[in-house]
Amino acid sequence: MAELTVHRTRRNPYPVDHWRAPLLEGIIAYQRQGIVPFSTPGHKLGAGADQELRETFGERALFSDIPLGGGVGDTHFGGNALGVAEALAADAWDADRSFFLLNGSSAGNHAFLLASVRPGDKVLVSRDLHKSLLVALILTGANPVYLAPRLHPRLNVGLGITAAEVAAALDLHPDAKLVVLVSPSYCGVASELEGISAISHQRGVPVYVDEAWGPHFQFHPALPPSAMASNVDGAVSSIHKVLGGLTQAAILHVRAGLVDPSRVRTAVGMVQTTSPSVLVLASIDAARRQMALHGEAMLEETITLAEDARRRLQALPGIDVLDGDRLGVDGFDLTKLVIDVDGLALSGYEVEHALRNRFGVGPEMSDLVGIVCLVTIGDTGASVERLVDAFTTISREHYGSGGKRAYLRSSGAVVAPAELALSPREAFFAPSRAIPLEAASGKISSELVIPYPPGIPVLAPGETITADKVDYLREGAAHGMYLSGPADPDLKTIRVVD
Ligand SMILES: Cc1ncc(COP(=O)(O)O)c(C=O)c1O
């Protein structure tokens, strides 16, 4: 194999050649060696696997399921194929160090917080945090101060966090050790990361971004600036969500200075399996190569497809599609179609049912008033046509049919953080019991309850439950609102600290 040649260098001292894909090459090299393995995995290159599994996956997939240590990782690059692949990713995403993750962005959230805060530390956290960030708070014992994103008054969508809001929070909490943001939000809204980094760094406070939904931002100028390009100290992104990685593939990026990359490396090792799937790792490597070499051109096509779909869907009676102008925000992910079907007097669930069963179209998510669809580098004119055609028929059949509009109530008040009686860790480890939701007012929640939309927790562990929140959740559950987090998915009961 040719030696690594210098293609271009940004931050990294390493020679960089984005044509190379060390882990993918390692799989090929191992297969060529014709080794008879007396090691894991026990299916031995597919020979011992179930017949139907072999037929469904294809022989090549199982033949490529090779161990990293003593296998793919050792074939070349001085036995450090993973290290070289991660260095290439660091270059592509503007980081000092990058770490490949096998348990999605969830693992990155756990690892970064474990590496950067201590029990009892105060952390400013955007309130639209994903469950995995709450788990990170539980693991570390850090005390969150929640920053609630403003909501659009009519569309009930979070509008991100501004630099001014972070500055005000840091004035109130000068002892905060870390700022944690979710950007972009699930609906595609990006926060003011550059300004937030500048303000936080002036005070010596590092910034970490859960960029699970934004791995593509780095590669096209029409998308919001990526987290690392906005000078934050750490960011995680899910390569599997909108790029070409296999499910679970993600990367954690780190900037050295306020955060110690070697401590992050140790923490990544603590939260991950010791038997990494090279299928997932090689898919991250290949996705990096694809983006570094062709990302802008591929995303140009993706954005064109998504914008065309947005325009055509917006023109349909009874249908509205979010964009930066409607929300009044600068940073918006143009590839995301957040489709409001409230004007058809149908719930998003009913539209999803029709899309799947009548039109063979599978959306990402539905809720009471809408549907979220992702347009990615895997889409074509034909796939997008199918989506628009389906909505065209649904709009024709239902617009003006006089049905009842889906329930929608502004949730500005109820997603506001409540009094934090205990830290998430204290609440998690405290004895708890399930009680009827209607009896929960005044008790301390030991659960996380997140209605979609806006994907912002109404309740987080340790918070005192208010009567307002109980009313809102009862009403939402009765209307079939999708609730993520609680042990009882129907929310007839809720777990509270005993
Ligand atoms: C904002 C956010 N962060 C983190 C995650 C977790 O990502 P993963 O599924 O890659 O672990 C998700 C998943 O949907 C998410 O929406």
Side-chain angles (χ1 to χ4, degrees):
M1 238 169 273
E3 272 311 296
L4 201 64
T5 53
V6 178
H7 176 58
R8 68 194 165 105
T9 15
R10 228 178 278 159
R11 290 180 171 271
N12 279 300
Y14 308 95
V16 175
D17 179 353
H18 281 295
W19 290 94
R20 302 297 297 269
L23 291 168
L24 198 54
E25 292 170 24
I27 291 179
I28 298 164
Y30 182 92
Q31 289 171 338
R32 288 203 181 128
Q33 284 169 4
I35 284 179
V36 179
F38 284 88
S39 65
T40 60
H43 63 68
K44 302 273 179 116
L45 303 173
D50 173 80
Q51 179 63 25
E52 194 179 6
L53 185 75
R54 283 219 301 269
E55 284 165 14
T56 308
F57 280 19
E59 304 280 347
R60 296 300 304 182
L62 289 158
F63 192 49
S64 303
D65 186 22
I66 301 163
L68 180 70
V72 171
D74 303 348
T75 49
H76 56 348
F77 296 114
N80 187 26
L82 176 59
V84 178
E86 289 179 335
L88 288 165
D91 181 76
W93 270 273
D94 248 339
D96 288 329
R97 293 292 306 271
S98 295
F99 302 97
F100 286 9
L101 302 171
L102 293 141
N103 186 27
S105 288
S106 299
N109 284 339
H110 301 159
F112 193 89
L113 264 72
L114 279 169
S116 55
V117 294
R118 295 196 163 81
D121 276 357
K122 198 181 267 185
V123 177
L124 300 185
V125 189
S126 140
R127 171 78 184 180
D128 51 354
L129 75 176
H130 182 255
K131 186 173 102 182
S132 54
L133 274 174
L134 249 167
V135 172
L137 292 172
I138 291 170
L139 291 173
T140 56
N143 287 321
V145 172
Y146 291 118
L147 303 170
R150 288 160 304 116
L151 292 182
H152 190 281
R154 189 173 55 80
L155 298 167
N156 195 26
V157 168
L159 299 176
I161 302 284
T162 64
E165 284 163 345
V166 171
L170 286 172
D171 284 345
L172 270 178
H173 302 280
D175 51 342
K177 295 289 192 289
L178 179 68
V179 174
V180 179
L181 301 165
V182 177
S183 179
S185 68
Y186 186 72
C187 288
V189 177
S191 292
E192 288 177 10
L193 297 183
E194 218 168 308
I196 291 171
S197 307
I199 277 166
S200 305
H201 290 166
Q202 274 164 16
R203 303 165 201 228
V205 180
V207 178
Y208 173 67
V209 179
D210 176 343
E211 196 180 38
W213 287 101
H216 51 319
F217 284 8
Q218 177 74 5
F219 302 101
H220 199 285
L223 297 171
S226 75
M228 294 315 289
S230 305
N231 210 26
V232 306
D233 305 274
V236 73
S237 60
S238 292
I239 303 303
H240 70 95
K241 284 194 193 299
V242 294
L243 293 182
L246 295 185
T247 298
Q248 298 188 354
I251 312 189
L252 178 60
H253 304 292
V254 181
R255 171 138 310 131
L258 295 175
V259 171
D260 176 3
S262 63
R263 200 166 157 78
V264 176
R265 181 198 169 105
T266 303
V268 167
M270 283 164 55
V271 301
Q272 300 226 89
T273 173
T274 47
S275 310
S277 161
V278 296
L279 298 175
V280 177
L281 295 179
S283 81
I284 303 175
D285 200 16
R288 180 274 312 155
R289 175 167 71 183
Q290 192 183 35
M291 281 298 109
L293 296 176
H294 315 296
E296 188 164 341
M298 293 179 82
L299 287 165
E300 181 72 30
E301 257 178 63
T302 307
I303 291 168
T304 304
L305 285 175
E307 287 290 77
D308 177 55
R310 190 187 322 277
R311 243 188 330 272
R312 291 168 64 196
L313 291 169
Q314 268 165 354
L316 295 174
I319 287 178
D320 198 6
V321 190
L322 285 192
D323 58 28
D325 285 348
R326 274 175 168 66
L327 290 172
V329 295
D330 288 336
F332 186 76
D333 180 359
L334 301 173
T335 67
K336 205 143 198 176
L337 299 176
V338 182
I339 305 165
D340 186 340
V341 296
D342 198 33
L344 296 178
L346 290 174
S347 71
Y349 308 122
E350 289 167 318
V351 173
E352 173 167 358
H353 188 267
L355 286 173
R356 285 188 190 282
N357 297 300
R358 285 182 57 201
F359 301 97
V361 167
E364 162 71 12
M365 194 206 70
S366 61
D367 60 45
L368 276 177
V369 294
I371 298 271
V372 176
C373 290
L374 311 178
V375 180
T376 75
I377 51 170
D379 276 294
T380 59
S383 65
V384 169
E385 203 60 39
R386 183 121 169 211
L387 179 75
V388 175
D389 280 353
F391 270 101
T392 305
T393 307
I394 293 172
S395 160
R396 194 174 51 239
E397 289 175 355
H398 289 275
Y399 181 68
S401 62
K404 216 163 127 273
R405 284 194 156 218
Y407 154 88
L408 175 65
R409 165 177 157 172
S410 162
S411 54
V414 292
V415 297
E419 179 209 344
L420 204 60
L422 297 173
S423 74
R425 182 185 178 90
E426 287 164 338
F428 178 77
F429 285 110
S432 70
R433 67 196 155 104
I435 61 168
L437 179 61
E438 53 272 21
S441 177
K443 306 277 192 302
I444 300 170
S445 176
S446 64
E447 298 203 287
L448 175 68
V449 183
I450 311 178
Y452 279 85
I456 298 175
V458 167
L459 291 173
E463 286 185 334
T464 305
I465 303 170
T466 60
D468 250 14
K469 294 192 183 229
V470 170
D471 285 350
Y472 176 76
L473 290 172
R474 285 180 65 192
E475 207 173 352
H479 284 80
M481 174 188 267
Y482 174 69
L483 293 164
S484 163
D488 173 0
D490 300 328
L491 213 63
K492 292 201 169 38
T493 60
I494 184 156
R495 294 202 75 83
V496 297
V497 173
D498 204 356

mmCIF file of all heavy atoms in Angstrom, residues 189 230 362 434 465:
data_model
loop_
_atom_site.group_PDB
_atom_site.id
_atom_site.type_symbol
_atom_site.label_atom_id
_atom_site.label_comp_id
_atom_site.label_asym_id
_atom_site.label_seq_id
_atom_site.Cartn_x
_atom_site.Cartn_y
_atom_site.Cartn_z
ATOM 1 N N VAL A 189 -32.589 23.972 14.428
ATOM 2 C CA VAL A 189 -32.192 25.345 14.752
ATOM 3 C C VAL A 189 -30.821 25.338 15.443
ATOM 4 O O VAL A 189 -30.617 24.610 16.423
ATOM 5 C CB VAL A 189 -33.228 26.013 15.687
ATOM 6 C CG1 VAL A 189 -32.771 27.412 16.084
ATOM 7 C CG2 VAL A 189 -34.590 26.060 15.001
ATOM 8 N N SER A 230 -16.722 26.838 15.081
ATOM 9 C CA SER A 230 -17.137 27.970 15.921
ATOM 10 C C SER A 230 -16.287 28.068 17.178
ATOM 11 O O SER A 230 -16.615 28.779 18.116
ATOM 12 C CB SER A 230 -18.612 27.817 16.312
ATOM 13 O OG SER A 230 -19.411 27.682 15.176
ATOM 14 N N GLY A 362 -41.359 6.313 4.728
ATOM 15 C CA GLY A 362 -41.093 6.209 6.173
ATOM 16 C C GLY A 362 -40.473 7.469 6.735
ATOM 17 O O GLY A 362 -39.282 7.696 6.543
ATOM 18 N N ALA A 434 -43.730 4.817 42.007
ATOM 19 C CA ALA A 434 -44.650 5.309 40.978
ATOM 20 C C ALA A 434 -45.937 5.747 41.666
ATOM 21 O O ALA A 434 -46.477 5.014 42.497
ATOM 22 C CB ALA A 434 -44.941 4.192 39.981
ATOM 23 N N ILE A 465 -42.271 18.964 40.811
ATOM 24 C CA ILE A 465 -43.345 18.911 39.817
ATOM 25 C C ILE A 465 -44.413 19.943 40.202
ATOM 26 O O ILE A 465 -44.846 20.000 41.344
ATOM 27 C CB ILE A 465 -43.966 17.492 39.780
ATOM 28 C CG1 ILE A 465 -42.866 16.460 39.478
ATOM 29 C CG2 ILE A 465 -45.084 17.416 38.748
ATOM 30 C CD1 ILE A 465 -43.311 15.009 39.646
#
